[in-house]
Amino acid sequence: MTSIDFFSPHRFCEFIELTADEREGLALLHGPVMRVERGQVIRRSGESVHEVFFLIDGWVISSLDLPEGERQIVKVHLPGDMLGSPSMTLEAAAETLTAITPVVVSRVSLSAIGRLFTTAPRLAAALFMSVQQERVILMDRIASLGRSTASQRLAAFLLHMYDRMRVRDPAQGLTLSMPLTQENIGDITGLTAVHVNRTLRQFDEDGLVLCRRQSFTILDLPKLRKLSALPERQWARRPAWLEASLAAVPVPAE
Amino acid sequence: MTSIDFFSPHRFCEFIELTADEREGLALLHGPVMRVERGQVIRRSGESVHEVFFLIDGWVISSLDLPEGERQIVKVHLPGDMLGSPSMTLEAAAETLTAITPVVVSRVSLSAIGRLFTTAPRLAAALFMSVQQERVILMDRIASLGRSTASQRLAAFLLHMYDRMRVRDPAQGLTLSMPLTQENIGDITGLTAVHVNRTLRQFDEDGLVLCRRQSFTILDLPKLRKLSALPERQWARRPAWLEASLAAVPVPAE
DNA sequence: CGCTGTGTTGACAGGTCTCAATATAAGTGG
DNA sequence: CCACTTATATTGAGACCTGTCAACACAGCG
């Protein structure tokens, strides 16, 4: 839907304003660009970790595989996201990254990420904030999985996607087009595909969300928000403390 | 149990070796020390975020409160942990931090964290890795909550605590003493206290884990590990790429 | 010693899963 | 463009896991 922008700094400028130089610096991170077909695995759980990926175009899911063949999707990635970075702390990758649409990613070496800390402290800080943000999102998911019903989880999931798509595209309306199957949505919400179907069908009958094949139209946003049992997170867009502390010592020349 | 160490760098030296200077630099982060009684709230969800906390002594739980009075514990904190940092991305704190034992914390301003990026890139990188590590842990929790039964979740929880306590104290044996009630454990695993009780009792009868009041002795570690359905995470202790990329550009003098 | 919090156990209800069949859409090759 | 195959969605019936409610036992603590 959005055009390919190789230097799209999306997630890097959610918390600080980037200078033109910094945007260029970001572009330097990018390694070889890789195209992946729908359904293909970008990196499988258990493999060793040499790089992370920036998602340039398409949708990718990050999942943990369990012994009984079940799987839990831990994140649905949209363009601009950094993929696979939690595993930089591990000997063997935790997540399997799977393209669910045709995908374009750029490979970024771990060293390039590491060098940000010495050469581009503001970018490193931006990345850090972005990772903390992901942590909040995971915390909300845990609350949703641990303490709510099927309909609440589905409401929370739809709202989360709505909120994210709206950040990426301010023109995003109440209709979400998502290349996810009901089985995918089950793997996200910890439900079976059968029960996802029943519950979404109920949303539809109740006039809460119009559920069509890979398209959802939120009909009653406040009601859905209330049902989800989670607050709408207000991100600190340009926190004063961050800007101030990064300005304290200028970036060393070169 | 462990003596109070105000400069305990625990989480900061999990991924890189800190120099003596860096350990001192860390000590400078510490703000006023605060003692908190058992049961007291350190920071409540919804409050504005001016600081984070370093846990010096005692146990703290981090929880999300849901509308129906339910709550989900998202993290059990041990000494050395940084508390409340995900909320640095938010206008209003997501988590409520509650002392479940008498606690000593040190308050650290957000600016102090921010300044790490310009003044101490290696510490910033260490912090970054630590946050990514937390993300892996949250991902594992999500898989556990979304795709496993009560006994599997409890197994995963006990093993997680065992693994963490062992990192902190290499002499840690198979007996875990934990100041958590069964209701707490329910709030962690997304179960009711009643069902936690039944399941732990079953562990005890099966000779899997000896469950006593606030004390657990793992009797069959491999069996418990297998039951949990999660791999034991192998953290990248001193990743070569990290050391190398941080050495690339020396830290600017002062 | 009584109070309060925590642990334990039973009976029952309810939400979600499992299994299975069918419908519908999408994709493929002729 | 059609026939065929495959993936996905839909619906029903029954089983199972976990929650709810309630009562009681036990421990810690003032």
Side-chain angles (χ1 to χ4, degrees):
Chain A
M1 27 228 71
T2 60
S3 65
I4 295 183
D5 174 2
F6 285 87
F7 310 126
S8 159
H10 293 309
R11 306 301 296 275
F12 278 90
C13 52
E14 282 199 57
F15 296 96
I16 64 174
E17 201 80 50
L18 294 188
T19 65
D21 278 2
E22 284 166 344
R23 283 161 180 265
E24 269 180 43
L26 258 186
L28 296 177
L29 279 181
H30 287 273
V33 166
M34 205 167 76
R35 287 169 190 276
V36 185
E37 288 173 28
R38 178 192 131 114
Q40 291 304 105
V41 169
I42 297 169
R43 187 177 64 197
R44 193 173 299 279
S45 146
E47 292 177 4
S48 58
V49 185
H50 302 112
E51 60 208 349
V52 296
F53 304 88
F54 282 173
L55 181 52
I56 295 168
D57 196 45
W59 288 47
V60 170
I61 56 179
S62 168
S63 61
L64 299 194
D65 307 310
L66 291 139
E68 318 295 325
E70 311 215 19
R71 73 173 184 178
Q72 174 68 44
I73 294 176
V74 291
K75 178 82 187 178
V76 176
H77 284 291
L78 303 182
D81 282 3
M82 182 165 72
L83 317 181
S85 76
S87 291
M88 65 202 283
T89 59
L90 290 165
E91 297 292 351
E95 346 84 323
T96 297
L97 300 170
T98 310
I100 56 172
T101 66
V103 150
V104 182
V105 295
S106 127
R107 316 163 75 134
V108 178
S109 73
L110 296 181
S111 311
I113 300 294
R115 276 193 300 270
L116 283 183
F117 287 87
T118 46
T119 61
R122 283 169 49 89
L123 290 178
L127 187 58
F128 173 77
M129 291 295 283
S130 185
V131 172
Q132 292 283 32
Q133 180 183 36
E134 288 303 320
R135 221 171 135 195
V136 172
I137 292 169
L138 289 172
M139 285 161 48
D140 281 344
R141 298 265 321 272
I142 284 181
S144 186
L145 285 169
R147 289 290 181 218
S148 68
T149 65
S151 57
Q152 291 179 303
R153 294 187 208 178
L154 284 167
F157 164 68
L158 290 172
L159 286 168
H160 173 66
M161 293 309 295
Y162 169 65
D163 289 337
R164 283 174 64 200
M165 289 166 87
R166 217 157 36 117
V167 167
R168 287 181 36 81
D169 176 13
Q172 171 70 51
L174 287 162
T175 297
L176 316 177
S177 92
M178 300 198 297
L180 296 167
T181 65
Q182 293 183 351
E183 184 169 7
N184 288 332
I185 296 175
D187 286 340
I188 293 165
T189 53
L191 302 167
T192 57
V194 172
H195 205 249
V196 167
N197 181 280
R198 277 190 238 275
T199 311
L200 289 179
R201 210 100 300 291
Q202 192 64 45
F203 280 6
D204 202 294
E205 278 177 35
D206 296 348
L208 187 59
V209 182
L210 189 81
C211 302
R212 294 292 172 267
R213 198 182 191 75
Q214 310 204 332
S215 158
F216 299 87
T217 303
I218 299 172
L219 299 177
D220 191 338
L221 185 57
K223 198 167 165 190
L224 196 66
R225 195 77 77 177
K226 189 171 177 197
L227 173 60
S228 79
L230 285 176
E232 184 180 358
R233 295 294 175 202
Q234 298 295 337
W235 305 110
R237 304 300 305 273
R238 299 281 179 268
W241 62 267
L242 183 57
E243 197 59 55
S245 56
L246 292 178
V249 171
V251 181
E254 126 253 44
Chain B
M1 29 224 69
T2 60
S3 65
I4 294 182
D5 174 1
F6 285 87
F7 309 126
S8 161
H10 292 310
R11 307 300 297 274
F12 278 90
C13 52
E14 282 199 57
F15 296 97
I16 63 174
E17 201 81 51
L18 294 189
T19 66
D21 278 3
E22 283 164 346
R23 282 161 181 266
E24 269 180 43
L26 257 185
L28 296 177
L29 279 181
H30 286 274
V33 166
M34 205 168 75
R35 285 170 191 277
V36 185
E37 288 173 28
R38 177 193 130 112
Q40 292 303 106
V41 168
I42 299 170
R43 187 177 65 196
R44 194 174 298 280
S45 146
E47 292 177 6
S48 58
V49 184
H50 302 113
E51 59 209 350
V52 296
F53 305 88
F54 282 173
L55 180 52
I56 294 169
D57 197 43
W59 288 47
V60 170
I61 55 178
S62 168
S63 62
L64 299 194
D65 307 309
L66 291 139
E68 318 295 326
E70 311 213 19
R71 73 173 183 177
Q72 173 68 44
I73 295 177
V74 292
K75 178 83 188 179
V76 176
H77 285 292
L78 303 181
D81 283 3
M82 182 165 71
L83 317 181
S85 76
S87 291
M88 64 202 285
T89 58
L90 290 165
E91 298 292 349
E95 347 82 322
T96 297
L97 299 170
T98 310
I100 56 173
T101 67
V103 150
V104 182
V105 295
S106 128
R107 316 162 75 132
V108 178
S109 73
L110 296 181
S111 312
I113 300 293
R115 276 194 300 272
L116 283 183
F117 288 87
T118 47
T119 62
R122 283 169 49 90
L123 290 177
L127 187 58
F128 173 77
M129 290 296 283
S130 185
V131 172
Q132 291 283 31
Q133 181 184 35
E134 287 304 319
R135 223 173 134 192
V136 172
I137 292 168
L138 289 171
M139 285 162 47
D140 281 343
R141 298 262 325 268
I142 284 182
S144 186
L145 285 168
R147 289 290 181 218
S148 68
T149 64
S151 56
Q152 292 179 303
R153 293 186 208 178
L154 285 167
F157 164 67
L158 290 173
L159 287 168
H160 174 66
M161 294 308 296
Y162 170 64
D163 290 336
R164 281 173 65 200
M165 290 167 86
R166 218 157 35 117
V167 167
R168 287 183 33 84
D169 175 12
Q172 170 70 51
L174 287 162
T175 297
L176 317 177
S177 91
M178 301 198 296
L180 297 166
T181 66
Q182 292 182 352
E183 184 169 8
N184 288 331
I185 296 175
D187 286 341
I188 293 165
T189 51
L191 302 166
T192 57
V194 172
H195 205 248
V196 168
N197 181 280
R198 277 191 239 275
T199 310
L200 289 180
R201 211 98 301 288
Q202 192 63 47
F203 281 6
D204 202 294
E205 278 179 34
D206 295 349
L208 188 58
V209 182
L210 189 82
C211 302
R212 293 294 171 267
R213 200 181 188 75
Q214 308 204 333
S215 157
F216 300 88
T217 303
I218 298 173
L219 299 176
D220 191 338
L221 185 57
K223 197 168 166 190
L224 196 65
R225 196 75 79 177
K226 189 170 178 198
L227 173 60
S228 79
L230 285 176
E232 184 179 358
R233 295 296 175 201
Q234 298 294 335
W235 305 110
R237 304 301 304 272
R238 300 280 179 267
W241 61 267
L242 183 58
E243 198 58 55
S245 56
L246 293 178
V249 172
V251 182
E254 122 256 42

